[in-house]
Structure formats: C-alpha cells, structure tokens
Amino acid sequence: GHNDERCWITHWHPQREPNGSIVGVNVAAEEITDRKRSEREIRAARDAAEKALHHLQETQASLIEAEKLAALGRLVAGVAHEINSPVGTSLTVASVLEQKCADFAAEAARGKLKRSSLSDFIEVVESASSLLVGNLKRAADLVQSFKQVAVDRSYFDRSAFDLGEVTEQVLSNLRPALPKNNLALEVDCPSGLAMNSYPGPYGQVLTNLFVNAVAHAFPDGKGGTITIRLRASGADRVEILFADDGCGMDRDVLRQAFDPFFTTRRDIGRIGLGLHIVHNIVTNRLGGELHLDSAPGMGTRVRITLPLIAPQRGTDS
C-alpha cells in the first residue's frame, strides 16, 4: 500500500552439506528507507553548504576588489590634491615671472632702463626663484612618497642580517631628534635574531613609525618615551613592538590610521602617508602582520610580526 520509494538491504548466506556442497540459501531482508532518506538529506545539506560557502567566497572576493578599487580611487584623488598645490603655485609664479621678463625686455629695448627697474627686476627674480625651488621640491618629495606607497618590487635588496644590528643602525640616525622634542628612547634589541629579508624596507618602517610618533604622539610638547622591543616569536618569526606613552588615538582616528592621506596634522604639512607606507611594506614586502592598539591618554602600541625568512617575490634569490 506504499507508493513512495522504499529501500532494502539483503543478506545472502549459503546452506552447506557436511561435504561443503550448497543445498540452499538463507536470505534476510532489512528495510533501510529511513537511513537512505537521512543520507540524501545529509548530501543535500552538504551541497547547499558548499554552494553557500562558494557564494560567500565569491562575495568576499568581490568586496575585496571593490575595497581595493575604492582605496585606489582615494589614493589617486589624494595624489591629485596634494601635488596640485605646489605645481599650481609654481605655474602661477612662473607666469608672473614670464610677464615681468617681458616687461623688463621691452623697457630695455626702448632704452629707458633705470637702475631702480633693474633692482626691482632682480628682487622679483630672486623671490620667484625661491618660491619655484620650494614648491618644486615639495612636489618632488610628494612623488617620492607616492613611489614608496607603491612598494616597487625592486625596492632595495634582500640579504641576511641581524635584526638587532640593523635596528640600532637605523636608530642611530633618528636619535638626534630626541633632545629637541624632549623625548627618551628605550630599546631592547637582543642579538642573534638572524633574518633573511629586506633591511631597507624594514628601516623605512622603523623610521616612519618614529617620525609619526614624534609628530603626533606628543602635540603638547611635554615629551615622553618611545619604546622599541624585539623578541623571537616561535621558531620562525620575530615580533617588533613600537610603543609610545603619548596622547593616544580615539576610535575614529584609530580606524583610519592606515588609510592613505589621512592625517590629523595637515596644518603643519603632514600628508598622511607614513602609516600607510608602513602597512604596505609590512604586509606586502616583508610578508608580516601588523596590529595597532591605542586609546586617548593611553599611548599607542604597534605590534609587528615578521617571518625570519621573507617570502619569495619576483626574481628574489
């Protein structure tokens, strides 16, 4: 009386004579409809879960690409905005200088050139030259910063080095900035942390973190302490802690800290690429991870974990 599909499993056992000849067969049948139904339901659930996971992975990839494009758009807009100012100023100054040269040449051609006119012209040329040099240098510095953001594959060379020694070498160039900013530096760099990585980009990371701390962590001029500690992390990694006891960051600033062109000190000429460059170098070139922790009045801690052997990239040997 059942119209639905039913499943059975049968067990066949031969009946034998004492001499071994088969005289019959015992057959036992067991209904396994429920078991088969459960198996089908499990397979369907597994297929649905795999499909959902695949869809989630596709969505995640799309979101990542969208965020990359958005970040690229912000970067391009920031580049255009930052470089437009010095280039625009230089163009204005050059236009004024061109007109002044034309007026001076016309006056000289008429034979009415006076000493006062010559003095005024020299003053204009000196002033314009100073403005041009300053603004074009600003533009060149910006271009250099943008090149660092790209983290070019040919950026410095890979080599074997002692992390503590390289850290001390970098800090020797940064220590002169400490007294004038009323800052102290505490360093714990044990020897024997051998790495096969990129000392140049690592030095850039350390320098950018130091400059960022000096510029942002102690705005009231009261000074404070910057701490750098290195230690092994497991058998194949190293941890670098860069901390300060400065003013700290609120949640909104912390969320945007690594965004390109985000800065709280644009009033003093900062362009907001320092921490963005740090993040790019650590996660791309050095193959590491970076964690930022901060709160208002509690200072800032940057914890970097790097592999002792950097990942192979491009034509690295």
Side-chain angles (χ1 to χ4, degrees):
H2 294 279
N3 295 322
D4 56 329
E5 181 184 57
R6 302 175 70 183
C7 299
W8 303 80
I9 184 171
T10 57
H11 306 275
W12 297 64
H13 302 282
Q15 286 184 326
R16 300 179 183 274
E17 292 282 0
N19 62 6
S21 61
I22 297 175
V23 297
V25 177
N26 286 331
V27 180
E30 176 188 0
E31 186 177 3
I32 57 171
T33 303
D34 290 342
R35 192 178 83 183
K36 287 295 184 181
R37 184 183 299 115
S38 296
E39 289 176 355
R40 286 195 295 268
E41 290 173 352
I42 291 173
R43 282 197 298 269
R46 183 192 62 194
D47 292 343
E50 290 179 349
K51 185 177 180 181
L53 177 60
H54 180 67
H55 178 69
L56 181 61
Q57 290 172 336
E58 288 183 339
T59 302
Q60 183 184 36
S62 297
L63 290 174
I64 291 173
E65 289 302 317
E67 179 57 30
K68 285 181 179 179
L69 290 175
L72 179 60
R74 292 193 297 268
L75 182 62
V76 171
V79 169
H81 173 77
E82 292 295 335
I83 209 167
N84 182 65
S85 179
V87 171
T89 301
S90 298
L91 181 60
T92 300
V93 172
S95 299
V96 171
L97 183 59
E98 182 182 35
Q99 184 60 48
K100 290 292 184 181
C101 286
D103 295 342
F104 181 80
E107 189 173 352
R110 291 195 300 268
K112 297 181 179 181
L113 188 62
K114 301 178 181 178
R115 182 181 295 273
S116 59
S117 298
L118 180 59
S119 298
D120 291 343
F121 179 71
I122 293 174
E123 183 178 348
V124 168
V125 170
E126 289 178 344
S127 176
S129 298
S130 178
L131 286 172
L132 284 172
V133 170
N135 280 280
L136 292 176
K137 183 179 184 301
R138 169 71 171 166
D141 291 343
L142 287 170
V143 170
Q144 183 61 33
S145 295
F146 302 149
K147 288 171 65 179
Q148 291 176 7
V149 170
V151 191
D152 186 8
R153 288 183 179 270
S154 62
Y155 180 44
F156 292 126
D157 295 324
R158 181 191 187 109
S159 64
F161 61 93
D162 184 283
L163 184 62
E165 292 179 1
V166 170
T167 299
E168 287 292 354
Q169 291 171 6
V170 174
L171 294 179
S172 66
N173 295 322
L174 300 176
R175 291 182 190 275
L178 295 171
K180 62 182 180 181
N181 290 284
N182 194 26
L183 296 175
L185 180 63
E186 295 182 357
V187 183
D188 181 10
C189 294
S191 60
L193 293 175
M195 297 188 69
N196 189 313
S197 188
Y198 302 90
Y202 168 72
Q204 183 70 57
V205 166
L206 206 58
T207 300
N208 282 21
L209 290 175
F210 183 90
V211 171
N212 188 77
V214 171
H216 298 279
F218 310 99
D220 54 6
K222 292 181 180 179
T225 302
I226 294 174
T227 303
I228 301 173
R229 291 194 177 95
L230 279 60
R231 68 180 183 88
S233 179
D236 58 354
R237 302 181 78 81
V238 65
E239 182 180 276
I240 301 107
L241 174 67
F242 188 102
D244 66 67
D245 58 0
C247 62
M249 309 179 196
D250 61 33
R251 184 173 299 179
D252 186 56
V253 173
L254 186 63
R255 179 176 58 84
Q256 304 176 76
F258 295 121
D259 289 353
F261 298 105
F262 174 77
T263 179
T264 58
R265 303 302 303 274
R266 199 173 296 278
D267 57 312
I268 60 171
R270 302 295 176 181
I271 63 175
L273 284 177
L275 289 184
H276 180 66
I277 292 172
V278 167
H279 187 273
N280 264 14
I281 293 176
V282 169
T283 58
N284 289 298
R285 193 60 167 171
L286 301 180
E289 299 174 355
L290 182 148
H291 301 281
L292 179 63
D293 181 31
S294 186
M298 302 298 291
T300 299
R301 289 160 298 285
V302 182
R303 194 176 301 275
I304 299 172
T305 305
L306 301 177
L308 293 176
I309 300 177
Q312 295 287 344
R313 298 183 184 276
T315 59
D316 292 347
S317 58

